[in-house]
Amino acid sequence: MPPKYNSISEISPSKETWNVLVRIVRMWFVKDMKRDALPYSLEMVLMDKKGEKIHATVRRTLIYKYEKELTEGHVYSISNFSVATNVGSYRTTNHAYKINFQFGTKIKKFDDKLIPANIYMISEPHKIFNDNYDTDYLIDVMGVLKAVGVEKVYSRNGSESKMIPIELNYDGFCFKVTLFGPYADELNAFIASGEADNAVVAVLLAKVKMFQGQPTIQNTIYATKLVFNPVYTSAVDLKKRMLGKSATPSPGISLLKDTSKVSNEDDFLNLTPMATIEGVKDCSVEKTFAVFGTVKFIDGSEWWYTACTCNKKVYPDERMYFCPKCNKHVINVSPRYMIKVKVIDHTDSATFLIFDRDATDLFNKSCADMIEAFGMGNLADIPEEIGDLVDKSYLFKVETNVDPSGMYEKSFKVKKIVADPVLIEKFKAKYVESLKNNIAGDEGVVDAEDTNVVGDDGILNHTKRDNVVDGVSLKDDNTTAEVTQNLMAKFSESSAVESTKHADAENVENTIDPTKDIGLITPAKQSHALVEKFKATYVESLKNNIAGDEGVVDAEDANVVGDDGILNHTERDNIVDGVGLKDHKTTAEV
């Protein structure tokens, strides 16, 4: 008597004696991010003869036991497994539960004909593009390949990946799917085969994500599978219907227009949150901000680099170049821009890195053309076109980075730079409006002096109240003149340190940088509580150093914190943490 098999729809935690006959329609390993050599788990999607599906997992410690016995596309009986709730934001099936393999799980291979592959059902895509779709579930979609977009390079967290958009047509309903990494390579290989005309493409276990309020479809890292001209009955029927509707031969695959390109106005005014340089530097997560600032200094020591075709920097070696990313010697190299600029706004300053694409657009000249026009013998200097950036204001779209050590000054990669004066004025106006919404008093009225944030010099001046734009706090309570003077002092001091760095390393090590020494950090960079704590510590340090022989502190010596919040100078030599403040000028001069 043949064994009785349970249908997938019956599976639940109500008992432990389930026995199913299933086809493995998808199987993949999930990598362990901490240990690349070992997989974290083995994941599968199982389908029974009714076409119902359920997810199954083999945990890390059992992979060795089952990986050689299981193959995608074959049919097995599976019994003695546990059942768990199906949760998460990447659920492969709509089943309420999933199967977990145990050490005692039994599997046996059967004839593949017992569960035909062509019963795999794919839902209609128009049901996905509505407000009610639960994006926690992965989807299966298919359609006739109608258009292919231009391949691009997508950068994220320091890594790059290919990206290709495609358009599929399902009974007249057209939708786009974006393929990344190896899935883009699979598509290119299929198109190169010459069999892409009127081809049905199935994208299994894809992810629906929201972009600019609209659902988009893209592959996952491991689970997604591309199937070209699948044998599923639903796919064969779709192709017949699509060909039958057309009275004329198909014109072939067209080039997909890039309708996803966002205008600079939308990007800077609507999609990217505004921030000050201080807010960008204080950000502790990886994020992108729109910043208005003025270039005040250009690091001329290195404004370009030699790059491999993968865009990474290469190094001369054995009359060739070595690319660390490709891990090989390369010959095909080219110069690319990498311009380090010091940018200032009303809150702080920071180093921005302008790379090749944006610099080429900015100068309307490639790096190779710039070098050729400037002359190879002058590369130690800065071309005039790059030098002209100084004292000009721009809108920057910058990407924050997280330095776990916190030892070095942060620099920020520029993802886009715009010099359009009309857009800059709109950005300023929206900035002011954002401040009005945040600094209005209890009566909802904004004082005139509070809204005066944009000066004639194009710099966003500071307001009296705490300024918050898109969640970024502007904490400096100094006047515009004080802030500008302090920041310009930072530039001169920073430049002086940079100029001596290579000339006399020992002297630089012994030089006190006023912008970094805790004794001279202005209250604009600290919260009120931290400033008060600093004052108390400073006074206590002075007390320990200026007390007389009897251990008594003279009144005039202890009066180091004035009513204006400025640390006044004492009569004696003040030494805090071993740093001598030897200047006996008056408070105003200091």
Side-chain angles (χ1 to χ4, degrees), residues 136-155:
D136 284 346
Y137 293 92
L138 301 184
I139 61 168
D140 300 326
V141 293
M142 68 177 176
V144 175
L145 183 61
K146 303 300 294 182
V148 177
V150 177
E151 181 180 302
K152 297 181 179 180
V153 176
Y154 173 77
S155 299

Side-chain angles (χ1 to χ4, degrees), residues 45-204:
V45 177
L46 310 178
M47 180 180 70
D48 65 14
K49 63 181 181 180
K50 296 180 180 179
E52 295 169 343
K53 298 187 281 286
I54 192 171
H55 190 89
T57 298
V58 180
R59 65 179 184 270
R60 181 209 306 268
T61 55
L62 296 178
I63 291 177
Y64 77 95
K65 190 175 189 299
Y66 295 108
E67 65 174 327
K68 294 182 180 179
E69 298 185 49
L70 300 170
T71 305
E72 182 178 309
H74 292 303
V75 174
Y76 301 89
S77 66
I78 306 176
S79 60
N80 296 337
F81 51 81
S82 64
V83 178
T85 304
N86 186 23
V87 296
S89 57
Y90 285 81
R91 283 173 267 183
T92 59
T93 72
N94 291 320
H95 202 292
Y97 303 100
K98 67 176 183 176
I99 291 173
N100 285 333
F101 276 54
Q102 299 175 326
F103 188 83
T105 297
K106 306 294 183 183
I107 60 175
K108 183 179 179 181
K109 190 176 183 306
F110 279 81
D111 191 339
D112 295 338
K113 295 180 181 179
L114 293 176
I115 301 181
N118 62 358
I119 66 172
Y120 194 98
M121 294 299 297
I122 296 180
S123 58
E124 298 177 1
H126 66 268
K127 296 179 180 179
I128 299 166
F129 291 87
N130 61 67
D131 296 334
N132 300 321
Y133 186 80
D134 189 346
T135 58
D136 284 346
Y137 293 92
L138 301 184
I139 61 168
D140 300 326
V141 293
M142 68 177 176
V144 175
L145 183 61
K146 303 300 294 182
V148 177
V150 177
E151 181 180 302
K152 297 181 179 180
V153 176
Y154 173 77
S155 299
R156 183 177 176 84
N157 299 334
S159 62
E160 295 182 342
S161 176
K162 294 179 182 178
M163 178 182 71
I164 300 179
I166 62 174
E167 184 178 74
L168 302 179
N169 187 339
Y170 186 97
D171 281 336
F173 180 84
C174 296
F175 60 97
K176 295 181 178 64
V177 178
T178 304
L179 303 175
F180 294 88
Y183 298 98
D185 294 332
E186 285 187 45
L187 177 71
N188 286 333
F190 175 70
I191 294 175
S193 70
E195 301 177 358
D197 288 352
N198 296 316
V200 173
V201 178
V203 186
L204 309 182

